[in-house]
Amino acid sequence: MLRAFAGLAAAMVMMASAQAQPAASPSRLDDIIQRGTLRVGMTGDYAPFSVVDKTTSGFRGFDVDMAEALGKALGVKVEYVKTAWPQMTNDLEADRFDIAMGGVSITLDRQKKGFFSIPIMREGKTPITRCTDVGKYQTLAEIDRAGTRVIVNPGGTNERFARAHVKNAEIKVFNDNTKIFDEIAKGDADLMMTDASETRYQQKLHPGVLCAVHPDQPFDFAEKAYWLQRDVALKFFVDQWLDIAMKDGSFKRIYAAWFE
């Protein structure tokens, strides 16, 4: 009898303890599905990852197609939120979007603020210059000379890389990332060091004028991924979606449409 009473008392304590525990809060993944929209932060100035169409004012690019595919996998609509490289971290912390896409590089500073998906691309920084000057800018030592004009867009990894490695050459900050390569083409800057994927793309847009310098052998190692609010369930979903897309050929088809 005493043993039965003790067991009943223990069960009552466990029930009371369970009732005292607060209900688990829904994940951001649950919120997105319930809301019916995925908010995607994009700069719209980094072709071919994301650009703003001047005619429609909408976004287009590789990561726009990927965002639409992710929205379809989630069963929700995609809402694009305009951001900029210098303010992207603040926008993430202010919860203006659920995920940042559009050529975002993985950095440890960004990792402190949110989660990254599995990498979608591995590359690094390499120069792009006028085709007639390719031989002049093969190494960082050749670039970092007085009289060389290195152009950068503000607030991102390109400016950070340039300031870490350029001490003697001039660094020119140019605010319009959609026109920055025209500055090199017309001779107002000598080169830009940016992601190898971008140098290949701009080389295609400026045939015979601008050339990527050894894009297969960049100066450093970097990865691109999707930058998420700190939610485990959302990260697991995005990672699984990417893994499937990379194995079933859908990622390759979207990639080929913009990069090949």
Side-chain angles (χ1 to χ4, degrees), residues 56-106:
T56 65
S57 296
F59 288 87
R60 61 183 178 84
F62 167 77
D63 272 333
V64 177
D65 290 350
M66 289 296 292
E68 292 295 330
L70 175 56
K72 184 177 179 180
L74 285 163
V76 301
K77 294 181 179 180
V78 178
E79 175 189 338
Y80 295 99
V81 179
K82 186 74 166 64
T83 185
W85 298 110
Q87 70 187 53
M88 186 179 288
T89 298
N90 289 339
D91 286 345
L92 180 88
E93 291 183 301
D95 195 19
R96 293 195 62 221
F97 47 74
D98 304 301
I99 181 172
M101 304 174 73
V104 181
S105 296
I106 296 175

Side-chain angles (χ1 to χ4, degrees), residues 111-156:
Q111 183 72 57
K112 294 174 185 176
K113 306 295 184 179
F115 288 157
F116 276 104
S117 69
I118 59 173
I120 63 166
M121 202 173 293
R122 290 181 172 89
E123 54 179 1
K125 302 297 182 189
T126 201
I128 182 168
T129 185
R130 291 177 294 279
C131 294
T132 53
D133 292 337
V134 167
K136 294 169 59 177
Y137 303 121
Q138 293 289 311
T139 67
L140 285 168
E142 290 173 330
I143 291 169
D144 191 20
R145 291 174 176 170
T148 300
R149 298 163 300 170
V150 179
I151 196 165
V152 299
N153 57 311

